[in-house]
Amino acid sequence: MIRRILPLIFLLIAGPLAAADFTPLDRLAAQKLLSPESHRQATIVALWSSDCNYCKKNLKLLSSLAHRNQKLRVITIAAEPESPELWPMLKPYALAGPRYAYGTDNPEAIAYAIDAKWGGELPRTFLFDGRGGKQTVAGVISIDSLEKATGLRF
């Protein structure tokens, strides 16, 4: 009887832990993450939030492109503290890259560390070519802009 119950208990405990794999983002980690020197391959850092419909369009496009070209690395940052609602919203896009959510630092300080010129509008996407180049896109991204910035073809 206990052998049948133990796997169920494990699933009940481990399930929420497996879903909570967002790394808390603080100012120092944000500065490093948005530095072109941190990216040795074509990388996209996509900021999104749970209430941003245009963010979902970007995530859908990034998911499609990442599956078409395995050289593209996609990192996501939820521009809000981690909550139980975040993972179910991001999960359908099946983006394999690191996932961040705002940590315990002041949200304005994290936003400033991400981009001092950023006024908080979403989506905001950072495109790295892996050779020291970086471009910033506010709003919905296009395949053409991604190809130009990263040097990849989709």
Side-chain angles (χ1 to χ4, degrees):
M1 180 72 165
I2 291 178
R3 288 184 182 173
R4 291 182 184 169
I5 294 175
L6 281 177
L8 180 60
I9 292 171
F10 177 76
L11 286 174
L12 291 172
I13 293 170
L17 296 176
D21 59 352
F22 285 84
T23 301
L25 188 68
D26 62 21
R27 288 177 275 195
L28 295 175
Q31 287 175 338
K32 183 177 179 186
L33 190 61
L34 278 296
S35 170
E37 293 79 29
S38 297
H39 305 286
R40 306 239 165 151
Q41 72 182 80
T43 302
I44 295 175
V45 177
L47 273 72
W48 66 284
S49 77
S50 58
D51 61 354
C52 171
N53 287 326
Y54 292 114
C55 296
K56 293 169 188 158
K57 285 184 177 184
N58 275 1
L59 292 170
K60 184 177 180 181
L61 176 63
L62 293 174
S63 174
S64 171
L65 298 179
H67 288 96
R68 282 192 228 166
N69 191 328
Q70 300 295 317
K71 293 180 181 179
L72 179 65
R73 181 173 183 227
V74 179
I75 299 170
T76 57
I77 300 175
E80 58 193 87
E82 184 176 358
S83 69
E85 295 85 35
L86 290 182
W87 176 241
M89 295 183 85
L90 191 59
K91 186 179 179 179
Y93 304 108
L95 292 163
R99 292 175 285 277
Y100 294 86
Y102 279 20
T104 57
D105 274 353
N106 179 309
E108 289 79 16
I110 297 171
Y112 188 83
I114 289 171
D115 184 348
K117 297 176 185 175
W118 182 36
E121 68 282 352
L122 291 171
R124 189 142 183 109
T125 309
F126 300 90
L127 314 170
F128 299 91
D129 64 9
R131 299 179 304 276
K134 174 183 174 182
Q135 292 184 24
T136 304
V137 177
V140 177
I141 53 177
S142 69
I143 293 175
D144 288 342
S145 65
L146 290 172
E147 286 183 341
K148 287 176 187 172
T150 62
L152 298 177
R153 297 292 167 246
F154 301 103

